[in-house]
C-alpha cells in the first residue's frame, strides 16, 4: 500500500513541473470526481450537495463540497503549488563567447549548488495572440534543453570551501554552442504548434529532469523534485476526495507564490479564500449572522513540509523535537507565530491522529536558528479561524531534488480524510 501510493504521488509530481501544471492536473482529477468548475467572473448558482472548484491565474485553486443540509462551518486545508527554481526573464536569450544562454532570475529561496551540471527543461505557460484576443497555452517540452555548468575545480579552488555564488554570473544555463542557434521561444512555439511571433507573453521556469524514484535498502524513501509542497498538495487532494461530511463544507486550497511571500492576487495573502467563502454563503441564501457563526466553527490546516532531522547537523535542530521521516505527521510550532499552531489547535490535530492511529510528531526551530514561515499565518490574517501548521518531514528542502519518507504519504492522506470528516 505504501509503495503504490508513493508511485501515484510521484507520477503526479512528474507531470506537474510548474504551478500551472499542478492546477491543470488537479482540475482533471476533480472533474473526474464530479466537481463543476466555477468562474470568478460569472454569477454563481450553487446548490446544497454540490461539488465545485474555482481557479485564479491558472496557478491557484479552491475546491469545495457543500453538505446536503445546512452547514455548521468549514474544514479548510491549504498547501502551495509553487517551488523554488530559476525563472526566465522577459527577454530570456543571451549570446556571447560562442554560446547561447538563458537569462534567468531566482524564484524563491533556492538551494543553488544542486542545480549545477544536471539536465534541465523549461515549462510554464505562454500567451498566444489569436483573432479574438489572447489565450494561455501550457507548455512542457519533453526534452533536455539546458545545463548550468559549474566551473572546474582547477579554476575555482574555493568551490568546496565556501564559494559565494552570483546568480547573474554563475546560474545562467547553456542551451547551444551557436550564438545564432535556435532560441528558446522558437523551441517553445514549435512544441505548442504556434508561430513564435504570436507569443505575446510568457511565464516560464526551469526544472530538473531527473525522474522521481523510490530508494533505500528497504525502499523507505522517495526522491523527487518539488516535494515541497506538491507532496502536501496531492496527499490532501486524495484525502479530500475520499472524505464525506454532512455538517461542514470541505474546502481544499492550493495557493501560488508562497515561495516569494504570497503577496499576489493568487497567493494566500489575497482575498481569494475569503471571497469564495463569502460568495458561497450568500449564494446559498444564508444570512450574515449564519456566516459568522460558521466562521467561528471553522478550522484551517496549513500543510507545508517540515525539516527532517539531518544526521550530520544535529546542532541545527531542537535537542528534543526533531522530526524523522516515516514517523508521521509533523505539527509545527513557533513562539513568533510563523506557524499558527497553539495548544488548542494542536490538541485538535492530535485527537484526529490518535483516533486514526496516525503517528504524529512535532517540529520547533532551534532557539538560535529562527526558521521560515508558511502560508498558514498569512491566510489566517484574511480568514481568522482556528488554525494549525503541519507537514511531512523531508531533507534537502528547496533543493532541485528533495527526499521524504514513503510511509508518510499514506499518513497524510489518512489524516486529510479524517480532518475533512471531523466535527
Amino acid at each position: 500500500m505504501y509503495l503504490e501510493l508513493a508511485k501515484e504521488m510521484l507520477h503526479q509530481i512528474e507531470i506537474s513541473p510548474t504551478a500551472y501544471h499542478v492546477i491543470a492536473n488537479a482540475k482533471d482529477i476533480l472533474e473526474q470526481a464530479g466537481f463543476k468548475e466555477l468562474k470568478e467572473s460569472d454569477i454563481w448558482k450553487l446548490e446544497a450537495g454540490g461539488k465545485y472548484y474555482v481557479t485564479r491565474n491558472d496557478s491557484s485553486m479552491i475546491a469545495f463540497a457543500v453538505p446536503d443540509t445546512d452547514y455548521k462551518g468549514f474544514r479548510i486545508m491549504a498547501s502551495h503549488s509553487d517551488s523554488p527554481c530559476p525563472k526566465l526573464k522577459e527577454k530570456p536569450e543571451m549570446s556571447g563567447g560562442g554560446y547561447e544562454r538563458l537569462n534567468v532570475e531566482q524564484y524563491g529561496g533556492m538551494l543553488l549548488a544542486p542545480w549545477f551540471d544536471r539536465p534541465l527543461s523549461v515549462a510554464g505557460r505562454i500567451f498566444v495572440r489569436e483573432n479574438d484576443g489572447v489565450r494561455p497555452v501550457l507548455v512542457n517540452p519533453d526534452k533536455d534543453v539546458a545545463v548550468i555548468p559549474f566551473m572546474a575545480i582547477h579554476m575555482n579552488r574555493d568551490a568546496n570551501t565556501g564559494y559565494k555564488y552570483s546568480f547573474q554570473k554563475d546560474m545562467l544555463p547553456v542551451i547551444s554552442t551557436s550564438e545564432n542557434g535556435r532560441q528558446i521561444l522558437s523551441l517553445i512555439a514549435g512544441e505548442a504548434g504556434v508561430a513564435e511571433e504570436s507569443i505575446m507573453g510568457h511565464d516560464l521556469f526551469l526544472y530538473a529532469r531527473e525522474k522521481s524514484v523510490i530508494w533505500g535498502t528497504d525502499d523507505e524513501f522517495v526522491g523527487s523534485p518539488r516535494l515541497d509542497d506538491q507532496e502536501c498538495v496531492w496527499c490532501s487532494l486524495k484525502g479530500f476526495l475520499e472524505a464525506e461530511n454532512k455538517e461542514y463544507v470541505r474546502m481544499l486550497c492550493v495557493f501560488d507564490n508562497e515561495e516569494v511571500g504570497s503577496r499576489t492576487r493568487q497567493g494566500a495573502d489575497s482575498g481569494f479564500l475569503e471571497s469564495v467563502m463569502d460568495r458561497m454563503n450568500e449564494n446559498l441564501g444564508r444570512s450574515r449572522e449564519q456566516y459568522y457563526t460558521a466562521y467561528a466553527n471553522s478550522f484551517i490546516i496549513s500543510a507545508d513540509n517540515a525539516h527532517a532531522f539531518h544526521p550530520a547537523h544535529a546542532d541545527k535542530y531542537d535537542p528534543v523535537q526533531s522530526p524523522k521521516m516515516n514517523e508521521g505527521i509533523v505539527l509545527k510550532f513557533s513562539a513568533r507565530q510563523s506557524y499558527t499552531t497553539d495548544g488548542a489547535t494542536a490538541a485538535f490535530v492530535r485527537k484526529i491522529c490518535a483516533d486514526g492511529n496516525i503517528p504524529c510528531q512535532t517540529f520547533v526551530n532551534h532557539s538560535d536558528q529562527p526558521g521560515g514561515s508558511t502560508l498558514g499565518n498569512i491566510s489566517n490574517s484574511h480568514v481568522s479561524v482556528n488554525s494549525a501548521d503541519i507537514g511531512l518531514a523531508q531533507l534537502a528542502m528547496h533543493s532541485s531534488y528533495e527526499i521524504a519518507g514513503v510511509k508518510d504519504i499514506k499518513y497524510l492522506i489518512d489524516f486529510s480524510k479524517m480532518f475533512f470528516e471531523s466535527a
Side-chain angles (χ1 to χ4, degrees), residues 53-71:
Y53 72 89
V54 57
T55 66
R56 182 177 282 189
N57 190 51
D58 295 327
S59 60
S60 292
M61 178 191 73
I62 296 175
F64 58 96
V66 182
D68 293 326
T69 57
D70 199 21
Y71 54 85

Side-chain angles (χ1 to χ4, degrees), residues 314-359:
D315 59 316
K316 298 293 185 181
Y317 296 82
D318 181 83
V320 295
Q321 298 177 92
S322 300
K324 311 298 190 300
M325 290 179 286
N326 289 315
E327 294 191 13
I329 305 301
V330 179
L331 256 175
K332 300 191 281 187
F333 296 83
S334 171
R336 62 191 183 97
Q337 293 301 292
S338 53
Y339 307 130
T340 60
T341 316
D342 60 19
T345 61
F348 183 82
V349 170
R350 286 176 174 139
K351 181 180 183 302
I352 292 174
C353 290
D355 291 346
N357 198 28
I358 301 165

